[in-house]
Amino acid sequence: AGGGRLLDRIRKWYYNAAGFNKLGLMRDDTLHEDDDVKEALKRLPQHLYNERVFRIKRALDLSLKHQILPKDQWTKYEEDHHYLEPYLKEVIRERHEKEAWNKK
């Protein structure tokens, strides 16, 4: 039990050290947009896509101004959900299935 808490504290420290949360971004907002991620983004429900675009535009604006959000507006580790992950897993599964089919 103690090791799990230590690992969780390390994860939280690393999350905050990365800095994207200080701009209001979530982890999935920072993924490199390869073909799989681009396809997953197309499958996002409109409200999730709009929220992502807002966070990214706000982060770009803050970055250009060399500012960060007030601490109470930072994305918290506990509140960061992997909204893109289910769609990305589906895209990758479909791509692997297609690749396996094409090998036959």
Side-chain angles (χ1 to χ4, degrees), residues 16-66:
N16 286 314
F20 60 83
N21 65 319
K22 296 172 185 165
L23 298 172
L25 294 171
M26 295 181 149
R27 184 194 68 97
D28 284 358
D29 297 334
T30 65
L31 294 175
H32 173 71
E33 289 192 21
D34 60 13
D35 290 339
D36 290 338
V37 172
K38 287 178 185 176
E39 180 59 33
L41 288 170
K42 290 178 187 176
R43 298 179 185 195
L44 273 179
Q46 193 65 44
H47 74 282
L48 289 178
Y49 182 80
N50 290 342
E51 290 169 3
R52 173 189 167 89
V53 169
F54 171 79
R55 287 189 303 271
I56 291 172
K57 285 184 177 184
R58 178 180 58 186
L60 287 170
D61 184 54
L62 288 166
S63 183
L64 287 171
K65 295 176 181 176
H66 301 285

Side-chain angles (χ1 to χ4, degrees), residues 6-26:
L6 176 62
L7 189 58
D8 199 43
R9 286 182 26 212
I10 292 170
R11 283 183 182 136
K12 287 180 183 179
W13 173 85
Y14 184 77
Y15 183 86
N16 286 314
F20 60 83
N21 65 319
K22 296 172 185 165
L23 298 172
L25 294 171
M26 295 181 149

